[in-house]
Amino acid sequence: MGFVMKNGGSELVSYSGKEKEIVIPDRVTSIGAEAFLGCESLTSITIPSSVINIGERAFSGCKALKDIIIFGKTATIKGGTFRGCTSLTNIILPDGVEIIEDWAFRDCKALFSITIPQSIKRIDSKAFFGCTSLNAVIYNGTREQWEEVEQSLEAIVICSDEEHPSFYSKTINEITFTMTDNDELYVDGVGEIASFPVYPEEIKKRIIKIIIREGITGLGKCTFDGYSSLREVIIPNRVITIPNKCFQNCKSLRSVDIPVSITGIEAYAFSGCNNLASITIPANVRIIGNYAFKDCKSLNEIVIPNGVSNMGIGTFSGCSSLINITLSGTIKEIASLMFHDCVSLTEITVPEGITSISDNAFSDCVSLKRINLPNTLKEIEPAAFWSCSSLKDINIPEGINAINDSVFQYCVGIKNINMPEGVMYIEKNAFQSCNVLTEIKIPNSVKIIGNSAFSGCISLRKVTMPKNLVTIKDSAFSLCNSLVEIIIPQGTKNIGASAFVCCTSLKKVTLPESIINISGSAFFGCTSLKEIIFKGTREQWKKIGYKTDIPVIFAIDTYTGSAL
């Protein structure tokens, strides 16, 4: 186990192991000074009834230590014994303890409550120095007995003979937090909540309602983070911001009355509130931060008021029940991941005024059937509609000059795509695996068709190529095994590697005389391809250097110079 013993095993001098849970042997009567100093892996220790002495700083710096069970009869908790045990939330001292010396529990910042036996006679003034979360001392004697104890504790002391209206109460910077017996938490005072009691998990899990009184003007970051049983919150009208992570992971939260005074909802404010089914965003709100409502899996409807001018990344990502969305007409951008993985969303109208839809904004919205895009739209960033597998029709507005990477990749339900003149580039994977797409007319303005742009469009039978096309990049139409004929327009210069690989139904390809480069694998696996028509001469064909067993028909006879 790593114990170093003396005096026949009765004195535990030190410990050098890495165990998380330790039970000290029954033969031990004394634990030496600094015996477990800095054992950062230690989470639980049991001290047997045979122990009558625990030395100074015996468990100092055991930062992971959460559970201490003391059966021993030690009379004094010496200076620094549990100093810096920052994970310790509560401790029960055994009957027989008479003195708690200065620094005994110094900087045990998570220590919330301590149970002290009736045998206590003295608690030194700095015994709990730096225990900023200490709310309650439970004394196993009467109030009369407590008054005879030499001590100057500021925490509430609950004596065994008293009925008490509040379970725990603590005042920090003139703000008082009181938890009642019916598991409601009241916050009273004047001013902002600069910091908040660090309640242990067993207490946090009990709180079901929080009432913040009218004197409070501001909330703190992470104030109620992780209150997993919290169902309802009342916020006063003087508060203007819901700060970062304020209600994050309040998994039972169903109702929040956001006052009209609120102007900003910051990052992760309600993230992970799984049971939050509805929320009204007040008209005065101007900013909604990154991931503010991420993974609010019960939220089914949201209306963004027209005053909102800025919405952050991933605002509603993972809101798997979200069906109806009304967006503000004053925002200019649908930010990255804003509605990512909103798997119940079926339709959305992007309002006029929005100029950009950022990357992955609607990715994995697998039920999205229709999206209405505004005429003001200038850019659709990569993967914006990635894997929107129910999307059927796409009308891209004028003003868009590029179909960016993976924008409609894996949109396996798309049947119709309408691209306007003005689009110059179709980037890599833009329409990859649009499985039911049968026909596409590419605008004449398009110059480049990117890598794998239409790869795996297995139902695609007809492609109308643009007049201004210059380059078809690698794998652009690979695995389009319903494609029968391809006519490459005059002006096209390059056909990349595997551009039409395994287009197994392709029978006829027409190439312009402008072609200067055809990759050797461009038509590999096109098992039905019977002829290639080249609109130039044999000499021009030789210069290209493309070698194939497929018959090539030349549109201009080399010897006569006349068209065939």
Side-chain angles (χ1 to χ4, degrees), residues 127-158:
F128 297 97
F129 183 85
C131 295
T132 53
S133 300
L134 186 60
N135 277 0
V137 173
I138 300 171
Y139 175 57
N140 286 336
T142 65
R143 175 60 61 177
E144 184 179 354
Q145 290 170 321
W146 176 254
E147 289 175 355
E148 294 179 0
V149 176
E150 184 183 343
Q151 56 82 30
S152 57
L153 290 178
E154 294 181 2
I156 274 191
V157 178
I158 301 169

Side-chain angles (χ1 to χ4, degrees), residues 403-406 424-432 442 446-455 469-478 494 496-499:
I403 309 299
N404 281 312
D405 300 357
S406 304
M424 298 178 67
Y425 309 100
I426 299 176
E427 302 288 6
K428 65 181 180 181
N429 306 316
F431 298 97
Q432 184 180 5
I442 300 174
V446 170
K447 295 181 178 180
I448 296 174
I449 300 174
N451 295 349
S452 301
F454 294 91
S455 176
L469 185 63
V470 176
T471 297
I472 299 173
K473 289 194 172 183
D474 298 353
S475 303
F477 294 91
S478 64
N494 304 295
S498 303

